[in-house]
């Protein structure tokens, strides 16, 4: 039976980069180590409740596999924050996480937010706790539903416990794929100053980070108090700072890249997607006309043009760069300012944390305790904007040599009902989005001895509030419209026609080569390009009470129990800027107010019974069971349960298993998110290029029922409206979770060291998963349905609208209970320790294998398994070896992500034959050395020691960073040196 001290002595060393699960699960799994690494923690806590159970225990044989990551190991690995440690391959098993490279993408929680999702199930199915209590969601915009890891108090964290097993019956909703519990340093005394700096060596120091903290604590006979204050900063890393992001190319196989005739090299593009649909800039669109083509074109009729003063025939001053039958790749799609975009976004985080307690000497030797956490995050992202500016037919802003054009017979939103004459595709330049978030969490409670002998009670209340102001720079449609409606000022310039009704209106610039090239008057830009600010608030109140202690005795020991109740209420209020609410942001998504609340009452219990002890072929047999009754205001009541068994036939063999049910109540944003409008490209319309469709198909026939001509070409983007599902009766997800494990710790001959091995098989199945169907899936199912269903607007066609003149398409995509998700796999862990010379060597190996990662949206669909495809590796692993002696510790670690290949999935699509979606194995090497003396600790090391760049893939189908997949398992910083200095008083 391991003591609490033994446990801590063991976990500090055995966690390693892999954070092995063995420590909590194997009898006698703790091993001694250098006392300097454990002096503080080993002497300060005499009991613990390990994540996965609410029962106090003095042994750590649990049926569920649990990892432990200590602050010492996080420091040795060079992590500057808890966020980095939690999102590492060792903890996540290689599944993709929302990290600091997603600033330019639409993510739940908004830009700058960092989340964690276990088993590939996403952050909404992973519960994050701080000292065993929920961390409330935080973030910006309407889709806030998960904890933001940025709020965690890194300086005060002692260890992180990771339960990769379903635990809804123990912790409630969200604990579907697992639980992450962050434990702070208890009974801390003294004063500690800590500083860390991470310096990328391959990016001119861009993307570097620093953290400074002060931790202090004191205690008396009846009181204790401790806390920390810290500041974390991360500098921006731009596309310009890394060689592999400076020129994104098609990356096609078999020499299929488009070669720029001007350079003879593969053409650089600004965004994911082939050159043919890259975002065109520095050009104009007109109706078809005969003219002189740019180098690389093959026709004489064009509708896309680029300024060229040398052209004196055809369209004077312009060369043709696109049109029917021409090579559209000659359009300009790249601007040097695109390299100013954020690859890793900058952030400033300030955190204050405190906790304390006071002994009452009453109410059962009760202690009144409390915690508070205040966190401020300032983050930003730099992007590049294109401005598609419509000049009306007949506008005095159009030069004489282009007055003939009528690009569109209708007003596309900027011309007060007038036909569009010329559209300018302007490379506008860089813009910045910002977020300023303040998160506050307060906990008060009382705990002590219950009136029943050996029973204890714990009652607490917590209140959390997140407030985020988010600002983005937007073109305002009404101001663009007024600025384009001009008359002569009589001085060779122009003024707004309705200036009297719009004081301050600035006339748009005339259409010329400077305007097309993005050289725009500052006063006009200041008038039409304005900051739009929204505010998001998320509040959560939790009242909790529980008692635990022995129920009765069995021959093998005491039966322990825990029983409790909890009330939670959550509220979300996202109020976008008024221009966003009214759809006044030009060519940008609009958002409605998200506002709603939900509450829940729960009753729960857990029982652990030792069935056999020291019997023949049964050194231990322990049964654990938990249950929870839940009554949500939003969807009613439900129950979950979990049963687990630990069987140890002989001293060095342990078998463990769990089976349980879980659920996830829909997040508030999934229920109440306001209707948000986004846009897809015009070719997203399934009827685009109708002349190329097979006339015998339902798709063609349905497009004709829409009133479309055979030569229909989509010229308008597809509008996608997303909304919450509360009004549609959105219900909770249900799931099952099973884990079966084997732990071996064979006795070795004297002097051979200590060896431990564990393998755990897991499978999770989620049904009625909350999901959006997806605009593409809706369009596919609608336009490929029968003509009768299409004409009746039945099925998915009820979610599709086409406007009166049959050009503009709108898709409604809301949250519903659809998806089925399955994850199956195995975790392997090996640990070996041996005394060598003056110290000891410790080696850890952890490998995660996914045998299935499948999902489907509809019951009649077949499961699609993405195991081994890009961003879903079948195997990942971590290995580290450390040698400790006297005051020194040296560590070397390797992270491994198996190569991935999406060819089999796409092989039946002829258009994909030239795509390279295969990546090789990826290895990250890290090394560090640590020295402790007289209250000082110094740690130095290098991450990504061999400067491994991410692999590359073809454009299209996968989001990319440069030509690298957008995947959190890859390092974008390159070789990075780090230094950590700690001084204790």
């Amino acid at each position: 039976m391991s003591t609490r001290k033994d446990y801590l002595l063991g976990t500090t060393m055995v966690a390693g980069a892999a954070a092995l699960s063995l420590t909590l699960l194997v009898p006698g799994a703790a091993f001694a180590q250098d006392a300097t690494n454990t002096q503080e923690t080993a002497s300060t806590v005499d009991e613990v409740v390990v994540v996965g159970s609410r029962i106090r225990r003095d042994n750590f044989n649990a049926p569920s596999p649990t990892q432990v990551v200590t602050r010492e190991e996080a420091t040795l690995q060079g992590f500057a924050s808890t966020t980095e440690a939690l999102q590492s391959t060792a903890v996540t098993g290689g599944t993709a996480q929302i990290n600091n490279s997603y600033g330019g993408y639409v993510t739940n929680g908004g830009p700058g937010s960092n989340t964690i999702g276990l088993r590939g199930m996403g952050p909404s199915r992973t519960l994050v706790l701080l000292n065993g209590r929920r961390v409330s969601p935080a973030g910006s915009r309407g889709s806030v539903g998960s904890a933001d890891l940025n709020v965690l108090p890194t300086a005060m964290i002692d260890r992180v416990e990771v339960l990769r097993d379903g635990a809804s019956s123990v912790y409630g909703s969200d604990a579907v794929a697992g639980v992450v519990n962050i434990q702070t340093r208890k009974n801390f005394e003294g004063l500690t100053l800590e500083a860390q700096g991470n310096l990328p060596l391959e990016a001119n120091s861009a993307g570097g980070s620093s953290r400074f903290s002060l931790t202090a604590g004191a205690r008396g006979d009846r009181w204790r108090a401790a806390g920390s204050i810290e500041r974390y900063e991360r500098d921006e890393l731009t596309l310009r700072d890394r060689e592999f992001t400076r020129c994104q190319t098609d990356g096609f196989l078999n020499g299929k890249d488009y070669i720029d005739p001007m350079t003879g090299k593969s053409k650089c593009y600004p965004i994911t997607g082939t050159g043919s649909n890259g975002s065109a800039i520095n050009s104009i669109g007109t109706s078809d006309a005969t003219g002189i083509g740019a180098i690389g074109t093959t026709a004489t009729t064009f509708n896309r043009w680029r300024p060229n003063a040398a052209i004196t025939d055809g369209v004077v001053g312009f060369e043709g760069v696109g049109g029917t039958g021409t090579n559209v790749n000659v359009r300009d799609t790249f601007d040097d300012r695109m390299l100013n975009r954020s690859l890793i976004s900058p952030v400033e985080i300030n955190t204050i944390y405190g906790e304390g307690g006071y002994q009452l000497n009453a109410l059962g030797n009760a202690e009144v305790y409390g915690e508070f956490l205040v966190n401020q995050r300032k983050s930003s992202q730099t992007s590049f904007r294109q401005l598609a500016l419509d000049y009306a037919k007949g506008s005095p802003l159009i030069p004489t040599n282009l007055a003939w054009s009528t690009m569109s017979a209708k007003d596309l939103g900027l011309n007060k009902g007038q036909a569009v004459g010329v559209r300018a595709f302007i490379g506008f330049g860089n813009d910045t989005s910002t977020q300023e978030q303040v998160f506050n969490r307060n906990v008060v409670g009382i705990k002590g001895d219950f009136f029943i002998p050996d029973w204890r009670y714990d009652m607490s209340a917590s209140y959390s509030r997140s407030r985020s102001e988010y600002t983005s720079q937007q073109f305002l449609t009404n101001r663009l419209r007024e600025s384009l409606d001009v008359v002569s000022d009589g001085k060779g310039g122009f003024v707004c026609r309705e200036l009297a009704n719009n004081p301050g209106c600035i006339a748009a610039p005339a259409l010329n080569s400077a305007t097309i090239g993005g050289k725009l008057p500052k006063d006009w830009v200041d008038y039409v390009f304005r900051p739009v600010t929204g505010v998001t608030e998320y509040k959560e109140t939790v009242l909790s009470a529980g008692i635990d202690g022995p129920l009765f005795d069995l021959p093998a020991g005491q039966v322990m129990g825990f029983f409790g109740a909890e009330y939670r209420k959550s509220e979300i209020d996202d109020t976008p800027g008024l221009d966003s609410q009214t759809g006044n942001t030009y060519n940008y998504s609009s958002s409605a107010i998200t506002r709603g609340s939900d509450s829940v009452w729960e009753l729960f219990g857990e029982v652990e019974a030792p069935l056999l002890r020291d019997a023949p072929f049964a050194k231990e047999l322990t049964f654990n069971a938990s249950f929870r009754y839940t009554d949500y205001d939003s969807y009613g009541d439900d129950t979950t349960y979990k049963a687990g068994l630990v069987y140890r036939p002989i001293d060095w063999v342990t078998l463990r298993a769990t089976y349980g049910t879980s659920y996830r109540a829909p997040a508030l944003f999934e229920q109440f998110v306001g209707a948000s409008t986004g846009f897809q490209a015009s070719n997203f319309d399934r009827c685009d290029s109708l002349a190329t469709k097979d006339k015998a198909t339902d798709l063609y026939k349905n497009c004709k029922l829409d009133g479309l001509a055979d030569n229909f070409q989509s010229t308008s983007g597809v509008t996608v409206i997303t909304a919450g599902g509360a009004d549609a009766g959105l219900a909770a997800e249900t799931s099952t979770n099973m884990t079966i494990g084997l732990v071996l710790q064979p006795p070795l001959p004297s002097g051979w060291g200590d060896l431990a091995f564990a393998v755990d098989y897991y499978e999770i199945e989620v049904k009625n998963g909350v999901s959006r169907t997806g605009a593409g899936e809706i369009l596919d199912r609608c336009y490929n349905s029968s003509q009768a269903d299409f004409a009746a607007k039945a099925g998915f066609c009820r979610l599709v609208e086409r406007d009166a003149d049959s050009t503009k398409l709108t898709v409604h995509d809301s949250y519903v209970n659809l998806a089925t998700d399955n994850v199956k796999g195995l975790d392997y862990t090996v640990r070996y320790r041996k005394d060598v010379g003056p110290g000891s060597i410790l080696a850890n190996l952890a490998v995660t294998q996914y045998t299935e990662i499948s999902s489907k949206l509809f019951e009649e669909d077949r499961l699609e398994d993405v195991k081994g495809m890009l961003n879903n590796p079948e195997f990942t692993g971590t290995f580290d070896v450390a040698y400790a002696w006297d005051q020194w510790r040296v560590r070397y670690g390797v992270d491994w992500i198996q190569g991935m290949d999406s060819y089999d999935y796409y092989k039946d699509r002829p258009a994909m034959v030239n795509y390279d979606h295969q990546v090789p194995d990826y290895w990250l090497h890290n090394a560090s050395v640590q020295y402790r003396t007289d209250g000082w600790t110094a740690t130095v090391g290098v991450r990504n020691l061999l400067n491994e760049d991410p692999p590359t893939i073809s454009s299209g189908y996968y989001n990319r960073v440069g030509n690298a997949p957008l995947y959190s398992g890859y390092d974008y910083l390159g070789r990075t040196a780090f230094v950590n200095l700690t001084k204790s008083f």
Side-chain angles (χ1 to χ4, degrees):
M1 182 178 294
S2 301
T3 65
R4 170 62 178 159
K5 181 177 179 180
D6 289 336
Y7 161 71
L8 287 166
L9 287 171
T11 54
T12 302
M13 277 294 283
V14 304
L20 293 180
S21 61
L22 302 174
T23 316
L24 299 180
L25 306 172
V26 185
F31 294 97
Q33 67 155 16
D34 177 21
T36 58
N37 291 337
T38 60
Q39 183 176 358
E40 173 193 334
T41 55
S43 62
T44 55
V45 182
D46 57 7
E47 63 183 28
V48 69
V49 176
V50 177
V51 66
S53 172
R54 292 181 181 268
I55 293 176
R56 287 175 291 129
R57 57 182 80 211
D58 58 5
N59 68 77
F60 300 94
N61 301 333
S64 298
T66 305
Q67 299 174 272
V68 176
V69 180
T70 66
R71 64 180 297 104
E72 291 89 350
E73 286 299 333
T75 298
L76 279 165
Q77 293 179 72
F79 296 129
S81 67
T82 306
T83 299
E84 296 174 9
L86 287 175
Q87 293 185 330
S88 66
T89 299
V91 173
T92 64
T95 56
Q97 308 297 316
I98 301 301
N99 64 7
N100 302 309
S101 299
Y102 283 76
Y105 294 82
V106 177
T107 59
N108 292 344
S113 181
N114 283 236
T115 57
I116 182 171
L118 299 176
R119 301 297 195 202
M121 287 287 185
S124 62
R125 294 170 180 162
T126 299
L127 180 61
V128 178
L129 308 174
L130 180 61
N131 292 325
R133 301 177 186 88
R134 288 171 172 262
V135 178
S136 172
S140 58
R141 303 186 185 274
S143 297
V144 175
S146 303
D148 180 7
L149 303 180
N150 290 303
V151 308
L152 299 175
T154 298
M156 271 293 289
I157 291 176
D158 174 55
R159 67 185 188 278
V160 177
E161 302 167 349
V162 182
L163 174 73
R164 293 200 285 187
D165 193 10
S168 284
S169 59
V170 178
Y171 296 107
S173 186
D174 307 338
V176 175
V179 181
V180 177
N181 183 33
I182 295 93
Q183 289 283 359
T184 58
R185 303 154 92 174
K186 302 301 182 186
N187 299 316
F188 181 87
E189 292 185 81
L191 180 67
T192 298
L193 300 173
E194 183 178 7
Q196 175 156 340
N198 288 40
L199 184 67
L201 304 178
E202 306 301 322
N204 300 318
S205 301
S209 60
S210 61
R211 181 171 61 87
F212 301 92
S213 67
L214 169 66
T215 305
R219 61 185 296 124
D221 291 339
R222 298 176 60 182
W223 61 274
R224 59 181 175 86
S228 63
I229 181 170
E230 63 186 290
R231 178 175 175 83
Y232 171 82
E233 292 186 38
R234 182 181 63 248
D235 297 331
E236 183 178 37
L237 182 75
T238 68
L239 300 184
R240 190 185 305 279
D241 294 322
R242 297 292 279 133
E243 184 176 353
F244 72 88
T245 54
R246 291 175 192 156
C247 181
Q248 174 169 291
T249 63
D250 285 327
F252 292 156
L253 297 172
N254 305 323
K256 295 296 182 179
D257 267 18
Y258 175 73
I259 304 301
D260 190 334
M262 300 297 292
T263 65
K265 299 179 180 179
S266 294
K267 193 165 187 173
C268 299
Y269 299 113
I271 59 174
T272 292
T274 62
S276 60
N277 62 24
S279 183
I281 59 171
N282 306 327
S283 61
I284 59 172
T286 66
S287 51
D288 288 342
T290 301
I292 307 299
I295 296 175
T297 58
T298 57
T300 57
T301 300
F302 305 93
N303 56 29
R304 297 290 185 271
W305 310 84
R306 182 168 60 198
N308 185 343
I311 302 297
T312 56
D313 293 327
V315 180
V316 177
F318 290 87
E319 60 184 11
V321 293
T324 304
T326 67
N327 193 336
V328 296
N329 286 303
V330 300
R331 301 183 197 180
D332 292 338
T333 60
F334 185 79
D335 185 304
D336 183 71
R337 293 171 295 177
M338 294 175 180
L339 297 181
N340 297 330
R341 293 186 299 165
S342 300
L343 171 55
I344 294 179
S345 57
V347 70
E348 298 177 3
I349 300 174
N350 297 300
T351 307
I352 301 175
Y353 176 81
E355 61 183 34
Y358 182 77
Q359 202 75 29
L360 295 179
N361 290 339
L363 300 177
N365 297 315
E367 180 189 56
V368 177
Y369 61 87
E371 300 176 15
F372 73 88
L373 170 65
V374 179
N375 173 275
Q376 180 194 55
R377 167 168 64 90
K378 294 182 179 181
S379 51
S380 64
Q381 302 79 36
T382 302
S383 61
F384 181 88
R385 294 287 288 271
Q386 181 209 60
L387 173 60
L389 197 60
D390 291 339
Y391 288 82
K393 175 73 173 177
S395 169
L397 297 174
I398 298 177
T400 303
N401 58 329
L402 294 174
W404 50 267
S405 173
T406 303
M407 180 186 179
S408 172
K410 59 176 289 188
D411 175 19
L412 298 178
L414 296 182
N415 301 128
K416 297 185 176 181
Q418 301 299 309
V420 178
V422 180
R423 168 170 284 188
F425 299 97
I426 300 169
F428 176 74
N430 299 119
D431 66 316
T432 302
S433 298
T434 63
Q435 306 83 39
E436 184 169 348
Q437 174 181 289
V438 176
F439 177 83
N440 174 243
R441 179 179 185 265
N442 301 285
V443 178
V444 294
I446 182 172
K447 60 184 178 180
D449 298 327
F450 203 49
F451 65 87
I452 302 175
D454 297 324
W455 280 71
R456 299 196 65 187
Y457 69 89
D458 191 342
M459 296 185 295
S460 65
S462 68
Y463 174 77
S464 300
R465 177 177 181 263
S466 168
R467 186 182 190 276
S468 177
E469 289 190 7
Y470 55 95
T471 300
S472 59
Q473 295 171 286
Q474 300 294 339
F475 295 104
L476 301 186
T477 303
N478 61 344
R479 294 194 175 195
L480 285 171
R481 187 183 299 123
E482 293 302 327
S483 75
L484 286 164
D485 182 19
V486 302
V487 294
S488 172
D489 65 357
K491 304 176 183 178
F494 304 95
V495 294
C496 299
R497 183 188 303 273
E498 299 184 21
L499 183 61
N501 296 326
N502 297 281
C505 179
I506 304 296
L511 181 62
N512 53 43
S513 58
T515 297
I516 297 168
K519 297 178 181 179
L520 305 171
K522 184 178 183 303
D523 58 348
W524 179 73
V525 171
D526 290 342
Y527 173 67
V528 299
F529 195 56
R530 306 293 300 168
V532 177
T533 299
V535 177
T536 305
E537 287 193 346
Y538 196 104
K539 302 175 184 178
E540 186 171 75
T541 301
V542 181
L543 305 175
S544 182
I547 57 173
D548 71 289
L551 294 171
F552 54 87
D553 290 336
L554 291 176
Q558 288 183 321
V559 177
M560 304 295 291
F562 177 92
F563 305 95
E566 189 167 279
Y567 170 78
R568 298 193 303 275
K569 181 176 182 180
S570 302
E571 303 172 69
I572 189 172
D573 187 335
D574 174 60
T575 306
L578 184 60
D579 289 300
S580 182
Q581 293 182 46
T582 58
N584 194 38
T585 52
Y586 180 60
N587 278 349
Y588 200 82
S589 61
S590 63
S591 300
I593 293 174
T594 297
R595 187 171 294 148
S597 63
D598 203 357
S599 61
V600 58
W601 281 99
E602 297 181 302
L603 297 173
F604 46 89
E606 182 181 1
V607 175
E608 185 164 284
L611 304 180
L612 294 173
R613 180 81 62 183
D614 296 326
F617 302 105
K619 300 294 291 184
E620 176 191 354
L621 181 62
T622 302
F623 175 75
N624 181 280
S626 56
F627 72 93
R628 180 174 291 250
Y629 170 78
T630 299
D631 188 359
Y632 263 91
D633 182 58
S634 60
Y635 77 95
D637 59 354
D638 201 353
T639 58
T640 57
Y641 67 88
K642 183 177 180 180
L645 199 67
V646 174
Y647 173 53
R648 189 157 53 99
I650 57 177
D651 283 334
W652 55 276
V653 176
T654 301
L655 299 169
R656 61 191 181 213
T658 66
Y659 181 84
T661 60
S662 294
Y663 67 85
R664 184 178 74 85
L668 291 183
F669 77 87
E670 291 169 331
Q671 297 183 58
F672 304 112
V673 66
S676 301
T677 303
F679 302 95
Q680 295 284 352
S682 59
N683 60 5
F684 199 70
D685 187 337
R686 295 319 190 244
C687 298
D688 183 43
S689 302
L690 188 57
T692 65
K693 311 297 183 187
D694 185 346
K695 291 181 172 56
T697 63
D698 288 327
L699 186 149
Y700 175 84
K701 295 174 182 178
N702 287 333
C703 291
K704 296 296 292 182
L705 286 176
D706 256 350
L708 302 178
D710 279 341
N711 64 349
F712 172 73
Q713 295 276 344
S714 178
T715 58
S716 300
V718 177
T719 302
V720 179
I721 300 176
T722 303
D727 293 339
L730 191 65
E733 298 178 346
T734 59
S735 63
T736 58
N737 193 311
M738 182 180 70
T739 302
I740 301 173
L742 168 67
V743 180
L744 302 176
Q745 194 178 13
L748 301 180
S750 178
W752 284 35
D754 301 296
L755 175 67
F757 167 80
V759 58
D760 290 284
Y761 172 78
Y762 56 87
E763 58 179 56
I764 305 171
E765 181 180 17
V766 177
K767 292 185 177 180
N768 302 316
V770 176
S771 177
R772 288 186 292 117
T773 309
E777 185 76 20
I778 291 172
L779 288 174
D780 284 340
R781 287 178 174 264
C782 173
Y783 278 93
N784 288 289
S785 64
S786 68
Q787 286 83 67
D789 285 346
F790 186 87
K793 292 297 181 182
F796 286 89
C797 292
R798 72 185 188 277
L799 305 176
V800 179
E801 300 173 5
R802 195 178 288 275
D803 66 359
D805 62 3
S806 300
T807 58
K808 190 172 183 180
L809 199 62
T810 300
V811 181
H812 297 268
D813 184 17
S814 301
Y815 286 96
V816 291
N817 292 100
L818 284 176
T820 295
D821 295 284
N822 296 325
V823 176
K824 301 177 182 178
L826 297 108
D827 289 328
Y828 309 89
T829 55
V830 181
R831 183 193 65 217
Y832 178 74
R833 179 198 176 277
K834 187 180 186 302
D835 292 333
V836 178
S840 62
I841 189 170
L842 179 69
N844 297 301
L845 171 67
V847 176
T848 294
Q849 177 188 6
Y850 290 97
T851 60
E852 181 180 336
I853 308 174
S854 63
S855 63
K856 61 180 180 179
L857 275 177
F858 303 96
E859 186 62 34
E860 67 272 18
D861 291 347
R862 65 179 180 86
L863 285 168
E864 294 190 353
D865 192 351
V866 298
K867 172 202 66 185
M869 292 176 57
L870 288 182
N871 300 348
N872 292 282
E874 179 179 359
F875 284 94
T876 61
T878 58
F879 171 78
D880 74 278
V881 58
Y883 184 70
W885 78 101
D886 293 333
Q887 297 158 307
W888 293 90
R889 188 174 180 187
V890 178
R891 178 190 177 276
Y892 191 90
V894 181
D895 294 350
W896 166 61
I897 298 172
Q898 187 190 34
M900 294 166 273
D901 188 357
S902 297
Y903 175 77
D904 285 342
Y905 185 78
Y906 291 117
K907 65 182 179 182
D908 296 328
R909 305 184 188 187
M912 298 293 292
V913 68
N914 295 313
Y915 280 66
D916 180 10
H917 282 167
Q918 182 181 37
V919 297
D921 289 6
Y922 186 74
W923 302 84
L924 280 180
H925 298 258
N926 311 292
S928 61
V929 59
Q930 186 177 84
Y931 179 74
R932 294 171 177 259
T933 181
D934 299 329
W936 281 95
T937 301
T939 307
V940 297
V942 178
R943 293 189 56 77
N944 197 353
L945 187 63
L946 302 184
N947 193 31
E948 185 78 12
D949 280 343
T952 60
I953 60 171
S954 297
S955 61
Y957 288 87
Y958 286 94
N959 290 326
R960 297 190 302 167
V961 175
N963 273 71
L966 179 62
Y967 171 55
S968 60
Y970 296 143
D971 175 58
Y972 299 139
L973 287 169
R975 184 185 290 113
T976 301
F978 64 88
V979 177
N980 180 285
L981 298 175
T982 302
K983 173 60 177 175
S984 298
F985 300 91

